[in-house]
């Protein structure tokens, strides 16, 4: 009798699988800050690559239309209802998402944050693209390298609650007085990773600070908006735009001189690694300090005492190499 029951269940499952060729043993949701952002599209490409390598993994690429915590909470609740196996999120807020993500974990869903983190109680692992202090220093250095006599710089960030940008800006402010004493940070404004708002904020900075020498945008959306404004307002050569940029979107501004150099890491590898980590948690790996996870072609990462890990150092793009990288991401 018991055997028959098992057989019936197995047959039902096999029928479901045949009826749904897309049926996958594992469903991993890649939740991004907002849709329509080329950086996250590149990460999703890496996530798909990982899913293909692992086999039987379905990636659900999703996010709100604008970069808000409210939008992400709605999505998390719907993913809980769909009983996905893992949620890998780039967070719009470190704290606001915690209750929804805790609920997900209570229901057995594995949760990691990547790119932009959530507070430790809201996730099992956080994957940083690179060392936070190093990114903070890099974004200032990118401007300082072209200001030998110092100057005034402003930061155009993403949303005011974005964990990653806020951490980088804090790190930048910390090293400014000692490492870059002649660089004067006049303002930090927020474009919410929205092109229109970022454009308006860049215009506002230029109007408010006529002596501005550089705009540093540690967001791939903001940096394009700022460079377009500098181009349109005929300020190439006067204001250098720099920050974190996707080479495929930004090449035109290195070419036209609105920017001397920018930096970034490989977003494809980041999405790829997020899926590998999620997959291993689903498979029963425990997230604890010192644990080493293998992430396919990217290598291995070991969790620190906050269950976080960081990937590679940021890479610089300028006239010498942007063409080559713009073909990759
Ligand atoms: C934007 C997003 C993302 C960040 C990159 C650099 O696309 O804000 O979180 O990592 O820029």
């Amino acid at each position: 009798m018991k055997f028959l029951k098992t057989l019936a269940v197995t047959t039902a499952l096999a029928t479901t699988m045949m009826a749904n060729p897309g049926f996958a043993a594992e469903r991993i949701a890649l939740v991004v800050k907002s849709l329509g952002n080329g950086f996250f599209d590149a990460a999703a490409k890496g996530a798909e690559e990982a899913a293909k390598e692992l086999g039987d993994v379905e990636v659900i690429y999703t996010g709100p239309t604008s970069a808000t915590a409210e939008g992400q909470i709605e999505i998390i609740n719907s993913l809980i209802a769909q009983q996905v196996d893992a949620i890998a999120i780039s967070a719009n807020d470190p704290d606001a998402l915690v209750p929804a993500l805790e609920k997900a974990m209570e229901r057995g869903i594995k949760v990691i944050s990547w790119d932009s983190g959530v507070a430790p109680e809201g996730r099992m692992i956080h994957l940083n693209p690179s060392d936070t202090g190093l990114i903070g220093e890099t974004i200032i250095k990118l401007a300082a390298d072209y200001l030998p006599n110092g100057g005034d710089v402003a930061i155009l960030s993403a949303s005011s609650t974005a964990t990653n940008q806020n951490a980088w800006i804090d790190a930048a402010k910390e090293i400014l007085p000692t490492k870059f004493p002649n660089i004067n940070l006049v303002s930090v404004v927020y474009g919410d990773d929205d092109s229109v708002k970022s454009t308006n904020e860049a215009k506002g900075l230029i109007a408010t600070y006529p002596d501005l020498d550089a705009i540093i945008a540690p967001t791939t959306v903001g940096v394009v908006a700022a460079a377009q404004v500098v181009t349109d307002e005929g300020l190439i050569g006067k204001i250098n735009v720099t920050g974190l940029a996707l080479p495929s979107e930004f090449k035109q501004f290195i070419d036209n001189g609105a920017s001397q150099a920018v930096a970034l890491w490989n977003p494809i590898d980041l999405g790829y690694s997020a899926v590998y980590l999620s997959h291993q948690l689903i498979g029963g790996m425990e997230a604890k300090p010192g644990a080493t996870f293998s992430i396919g072609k990217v290598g291995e990462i070991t969790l620190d005492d906050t269950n976080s890990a960081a990937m590679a150092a940021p890479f610089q793009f300028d006239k010498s190499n942007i063409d080559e990288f713009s073909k990759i991401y």
Side-chain angles (χ1 to χ4, degrees), residues 110 124-125 280-293 303 307:
K110 308 295 178 193
M124 302 165 108
I125 293 177
Q280 282 168 82
L281 289 178
I282 295 166
M285 270 282 290
E286 205 188 327
K288 56 174 188 218
T292 297
F293 287 72
L303 302 183
N307 278 0

Side-chain angles (χ1 to χ4, degrees), residues 33 37 39-40 90 115-116 129 158 164-165 168 193 218-221 244 264-265:
K33 285 179 170 178
N37 176 339
F39 175 86
F40 292 122
S90 167
D115 179 55
S116 185
N164 53 348
Q165 274 91 8
W168 302 333
D193 273 349
T219 135
T220 58
V221 179
L244 303 174
L264 196 68
W265 38 86

